[in-house]
Amino acid sequence: MRPSHAPYLDEHAIFITADRDDVWRAMLETVERTFSRPHAAGYARLVRCADRAASGPRPLAVGSAVPGFLVTAADPGIELALEGRHRFSSYALIFRMEPAGTGRTRLRAETRAVFPGVAGGAYRLLLLGTGGHVAGVRSLLRAIAARSGTPA
């Protein structure tokens, strides 16, 4: 099963005072910088992610990778889909943009994941039970908003 077709986990959204082109540019830059930082790359190696290093075309496009993720869809101003897998999970983080009035964009981040086996179940509990996933996704959305405009 492709991670983008995995069970729905959650979705978070933010309104940004910027048009979709500005949000798209900021999103690509923020995803690249966030997941290529040393601690993120180290974590990708630790859990044995399929994609452990940045590679492929830049700016991010289909076939690009950042530690932990492979870009599987990139429709500028509309959708960016990142998929990944490691020894505890297969997952997708899908960003979708939609106009929200003049000069405003709604950016949504949907997460889908499967956590196979006992180890996967324990990882899921750790990831979701601590609130780490929610905090991470919300922080990523705020960083995109700060880079592209102003949270509305």
Side-chain angles (χ1 to χ4, degrees), residues 33-152:
R33 288 182 184 187
T34 299
F35 293 112
S36 294
R37 289 185 178 157
H39 71 279
Y43 183 78
R45 284 189 303 278
L46 178 70
V47 297
R48 298 184 189 150
C49 286
D51 296 288
R52 299 179 194 172
S55 64
R58 294 298 187 266
L60 296 177
V62 172
S64 298
V66 293
F69 294 96
L70 177 68
V71 177
T72 58
D75 192 358
I78 298 172
E79 179 181 271
L80 178 70
L82 308 172
E83 295 185 15
R85 61 182 167 76
H86 54 64
R87 60 183 168 173
F88 305 115
S89 179
S90 293
Y91 47 88
L93 178 59
I94 305 163
F95 294 96
R96 293 188 177 97
M97 289 180 228
E98 53 202 40
T102 304
R104 287 182 38 155
T105 301
R106 181 176 184 231
L107 176 62
R108 297 181 293 133
E110 175 185 314
T111 305
R112 294 181 166 272
V114 293
F115 302 90
V118 173
Y123 183 80
R124 177 187 175 114
L125 185 60
L126 179 66
L127 184 68
L128 301 178
T130 63
H133 167 73
V134 170
V137 172
R138 287 181 180 170
S139 176
L140 190 56
L141 289 172
R142 285 191 305 270
I144 294 167
R147 189 178 299 272
S148 62
T150 306

Side-chain angles (χ1 to χ4, degrees), residues 18-29 75-78 97-99 103-105 144 147-148:
D19 64 31
R20 288 190 294 173
D21 291 339
D22 290 337
V23 174
W24 179 261
R25 177 194 45 75
M27 181 177 58
L28 295 180
E29 291 171 4
D75 192 358
I78 298 172
M97 289 180 228
E98 53 202 40
R104 287 182 38 155
T105 301
I144 294 167
R147 189 178 299 272
S148 62

